[in-house]
Amino acid sequence: MRLICYTLHGHKPLIRPAPVERDWMDRSPEAFAYRCLPLDIANAHGWEVLCPAGFEASWDGETAADAITVASDAPPHLLPVSHFGSGVLTFHLHGLFRTEPAVQLWVAGSPNRIKDGIQPLAAVVETDWAPYTFTMNWRFTRPGRVRFDQGEPFCFFFPLRLDLIEQVRPVFMPIEQDAATAAAYRTWVVARNGFNKALHEEGSAARTEKWQKGYFRGRMPDGAAGGPGHRTRLRLAPFRDSPEAGGAPDAPGQADQPGRGPAGG
């Protein structure tokens, strides 16, 4: 699958495959947060766009656009702006993204990155056809000041298909109607309860093991192999210059400042 970021005015957004690591997970006792494989996979399930410059933004709680101020020594075109008002801080990505037919981009903040005082807003953009740039928006959760450092992620995206989710037909079903799943679940519940009880026993095998690794290792409760697609890490390719690129780039200048684009509202 191909994912293109058309550069504008010779500027390349700072984009990287999202890492698994999070500061708060590093600081958890014995880094136990990384034992949650679903959390790890979500952290790395996309690409991050990084701030080209550090800045501080303040919101006074009012709804007007000038209620937000941005302070930095960096050139204005590298900084976010207050475009919509109502405490919304708007970042421009300085690139136009194109995906393959029927593939869109989920655009949001990096999963499980926690920032006090401000919240990333999520959007789905039809990048398979739209010749429009989009913005990444954050909304203050209360009046105050926040800081983004140079190199800090402000946007996270990954491809998805809207036609796939519309094909889903969700249902409720008693687990007893699926004998194999019910049996595996009961085996897991017994093992889980026994393991948690043993954690309180000095010198127990559970204390030595510290946590059950069945899901992490892709194993069923009885030790049999689980799903063939199980993985413990993702390996995303970085953005590179296209071998098809040719000709001189556009003259350098301030990046476009789009108005109300798909993800910008």
Side-chain angles (χ1 to χ4, degrees):
M1 179 183 295
R2 196 175 193 200
L3 172 59
I4 301 171
C5 176
Y6 291 113
T7 57
L8 306 174
H9 308 294
H11 296 289
K12 291 181 183 177
L14 302 175
I15 306 176
R16 70 181 182 189
V20 172
E21 292 78 17
R22 299 290 186 267
D23 288 345
W24 69 269
M25 295 174 70
D26 292 339
R27 293 192 298 269
S28 60
E30 300 183 34
F32 75 84
Y34 291 109
R35 300 172 188 174
C36 180
L37 183 58
L39 203 70
D40 299 343
I41 295 297
N43 288 354
H45 192 267
W47 289 263
E48 292 178 328
V49 189
L50 312 180
C51 291
F55 65 90
E56 289 187 347
S58 300
W59 181 45
D60 65 11
E62 299 299 321
T63 59
D66 62 5
I68 293 178
T69 57
V70 177
S72 176
D73 294 332
H77 70 278
L78 298 182
L79 301 173
V81 297
S82 179
H83 178 75
F84 299 103
S86 297
V88 175
L89 185 66
T90 297
F91 293 76
H92 294 95
L93 276 71
H94 308 318
L96 192 155
F97 290 82
R98 177 68 76 243
T99 46
E100 294 185 356
V103 178
Q104 296 79 32
L105 284 186
W106 175 277
V107 182
S110 296
N112 305 311
R113 285 194 188 278
I114 301 164
K115 197 165 186 70
D116 186 43
I118 197 165
Q119 170 75 30
L121 305 181
V124 175
V125 188
E126 293 182 4
T127 46
D128 55 337
W129 68 270
Y132 315 125
T133 57
F134 60 82
T135 59
M136 175 63 204
N137 297 286
W138 292 64
R139 189 180 187 280
F140 281 85
T141 56
R142 61 177 181 273
R145 181 173 60 186
V146 297
R147 176 170 180 81
F148 285 78
D149 293 321
Q150 183 178 22
E152 180 177 344
F154 70 87
C155 180
F156 175 93
F157 60 87
F158 62 86
L160 78 163
R161 298 185 61 122
L162 296 184
D163 58 344
L164 178 60
I165 196 168
E166 289 182 326
Q167 294 172 27
V168 175
R169 297 295 179 262
V171 299
F172 292 110
M173 178 185 296
I175 195 170
E176 292 78 15
Q177 292 185 18
D178 185 335
T181 298
Y185 170 73
R186 287 193 295 269
T187 299
W188 172 75
V189 169
V190 171
R192 182 72 165 178
N193 290 340
F195 186 88
N196 287 340
K197 180 179 179 181
L199 282 175
H200 300 284
E201 300 172 2
E202 191 69 35
S204 67
R207 281 204 172 185
T208 301
E209 191 175 359
K210 296 183 179 180
W211 56 290
Q212 289 179 296
K213 304 175 178 65
Y215 182 89
F216 200 99
R217 293 170 175 167
R219 296 291 176 179
M220 297 292 287
D222 62 0
H230 176 76
R231 60 193 66 198
T232 57
R233 62 174 296 184
L234 297 177
R235 296 171 175 82
L236 275 61
F239 276 75
R240 302 187 185 280
D241 290 334
S242 169
E244 302 170 14
D250 294 338
Q254 284 198 356
D256 293 344
Q257 299 293 311
R260 296 176 179 268

